[in-house]
């Protein structure tokens, strides 16, 4: 498989009006520019706009603590071997309080041995969902008991959104950002 970037950034002069408007709106928001999955998604500006609104909610306003959101983003990034998302979210997860040992275990494709209780619940929920396409009654109940129904829905949103973004990035062959954490920057293939 080729790793040449399939959907590089569009030349602003070649963008149509809808693309220019979508790019401007994205750059004016908390992301500050068109990068990562939005480079490829700009080929469908309405989809890009709608997805970025979902992502903005999930990253910046959901009911989940940022540490749990960032942790879930790493679990999903690892499941999809998504280098760009990993390079962006590994440093954010560490900053939010996820232990470096936990991040390293995820990078290696292992269930971390020492996680906070809420991280273990989130990991089990996400891992089971990605592997089996559903969750057991016990996993569901444990998640609802800790995160509440709104938290479970927001976890599903994070898992689904970052799976979508990971698919876009993997198909577009978007390269990782250069700002990742040294030892944790690239995921093993």
């Amino acid at each position: 498989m080729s790793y040449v970037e399939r959907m590089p950034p569009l030349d602003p002069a070649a963008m149509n009006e809808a693309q220019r408007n979508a790019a401007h709106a994205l750059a004016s928001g908390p992301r500050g520019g068109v990068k990562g999955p939005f480079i490829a998604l700009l080929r469908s500006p309405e989809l890009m706009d709608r997805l970025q609104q979902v992502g903005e909610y999930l990253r910046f306003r959901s009911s989940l603590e940022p540490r749990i959101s960032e942790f879930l983003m790493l679990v999903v990034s690892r499941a999809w071997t998504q280098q760009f998302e990993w390079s962006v979210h590994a440093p954010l997860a560490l900053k939010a309080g996820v232990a470096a040992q936990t991040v390293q275990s995820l990078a290696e494709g292992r269930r971390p041995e020492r996680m906070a209780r809420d991280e273990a619940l989130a990991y089990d929920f996400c891992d089971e969902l990605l592997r089996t396409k559903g969750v057991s009654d016990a996993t569901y109940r444990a998640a609802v008991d800790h995160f509440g129904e709104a938290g479970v829905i927001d976890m599903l949103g994070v898992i689904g959104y970052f799976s979508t973004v990971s698919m876009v990035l993997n198909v577009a062959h978007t390269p990782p950002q250069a700002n990742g954490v040294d030892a944790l920057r690239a995921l093993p293939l």
Side-chain angles (χ1 to χ4, degrees), residues 46-117:
E46 186 172 351
L47 177 60
M48 183 194 84
D49 182 55
R50 291 171 187 260
L51 277 175
Q52 78 83 16
Q53 289 178 42
V54 170
E56 184 177 308
Y57 166 76
L58 292 169
R59 282 197 62 203
F60 305 113
R61 296 192 309 269
S62 89
S63 66
L64 299 173
E65 178 184 338
R67 177 179 52 84
I68 295 301
S69 293
E70 292 297 335
F71 174 78
L72 284 169
M73 292 172 206
L74 294 185
V75 176
V76 173
S77 295
R78 174 65 270 184
W80 284 95
T81 313
Q82 193 1 261
Q83 303 293 351
F84 180 90
E85 288 300 325
W86 186 269
S87 73
V88 169
H89 291 285
L92 293 173
L94 292 167
K95 185 177 179 184
V98 177
Q101 181 181 6
T102 297
V103 174
Q104 185 63 46
S105 293
L106 292 174
E108 295 167 359
R110 295 184 293 108
R111 184 183 195 283
E113 292 178 19
R114 294 185 186 136
M115 291 180 275
R117 181 176 179 273

Side-chain angles (χ1 to χ4, degrees), residues 7-8 10 34-44 168-169 172 174:
M7 294 185 187
L10 296 172
V34 178
K35 50 193 161 196
F38 304 108
I39 292 170
L41 285 166
L42 192 54
R43 273 82 177 165
S44 179
V168 168
L169 291 163
T174 304

Side-chain angles (χ1 to χ4, degrees), residues 17-29:
E17 184 178 351
Q19 290 170 322
R20 281 191 299 277
N21 290 341
H24 176 73
L26 188 68
S28 299

Side-chain angles (χ1 to χ4, degrees), residues 119-185:
E119 291 171 355
L121 289 168
Y123 179 90
D124 291 343
F125 185 91
C126 184
D127 178 65
E128 187 175 329
L129 178 60
L130 292 173
R131 279 185 304 100
T132 71
K133 314 306 181 243
V135 296
S136 67
D137 288 343
T139 300
Y140 173 78
R141 180 52 40 211
V144 168
D145 286 350
H146 185 81
F147 297 105
E149 287 181 332
V152 167
I153 292 299
D154 283 348
M155 283 198 307
L156 289 166
V158 169
I159 296 163
Y161 174 78
F162 279 92
S163 290
T164 298
V165 165
S166 293
M167 289 186 285
V168 168
L169 291 163
N170 283 353
V171 170
H173 289 179
T174 304
Q177 285 194 168
N179 70 341
V181 178
D182 292 340
L184 308 175
R185 182 174 297 145

